[in-house]
Amino acid sequence: MLLIPCPYCGPRAEIEFDYGGESHLTRPEPFAAVSDAEWSAYLYQRENPKGVGRERWRHTHGCRQWFNLLRDTASHKVLAAYRMGEASPALDAERTR
């Protein structure tokens, strides 16, 4: 089980959270000019990396806030948790080990 560091409440068990998918996605605009292919790509195509990825999580059974998590999907190591609207932390070689 993961221990997820909620930026509002502190570390909590994974069962308190819901996964929200890839983070830092930008909705295509203006809506009237977006093609079906662009809209489909926005809705359905995701990175799904093996390694470090940026994810959205919600502390459903706690503060109910959404936040971003920087996590290695191969090892499940959590590298950083940060609030929505904040910039993603920079990665350096030491943190990814």
Side-chain angles (χ1 to χ4, degrees):
M1 179 177 300
L2 288 175
L3 186 62
I4 297 177
C6 175
Y8 301 95
C9 304
R12 300 290 193 271
E14 177 185 7
I15 59 173
E16 292 188 18
F17 298 88
D18 285 322
Y19 175 74
E22 183 181 348
S23 65
H24 299 283
L25 298 175
T26 303
R27 185 177 181 158
E29 293 184 296
F31 182 74
V34 176
S35 70
D36 288 344
E38 289 173 305
W39 188 246
S40 177
Y42 167 73
L43 290 177
Y44 302 112
Q45 294 177 6
R46 296 293 181 259
E47 290 287 321
N48 196 20
K50 180 178 181 182
V52 178
R54 291 170 172 82
E55 306 169 336
R56 288 183 297 168
W57 288 77
R58 182 175 181 228
H59 195 178
T60 308
H61 300 289
C63 63
R64 304 181 66 84
Q65 295 291 317
W66 284 97
F67 62 92
N68 294 307
L69 197 66
L70 194 58
R71 183 174 70 91
D72 187 321
T73 60
S75 68
H76 299 293
K77 181 178 178 184
V78 175
L79 303 171
Y82 53 102
R83 297 175 183 203
M84 294 299 240
E86 291 180 354
S88 177
L91 289 177
D92 57 299
E94 205 51 39
R95 291 177 63 186
T96 58
R97 293 178 192 246

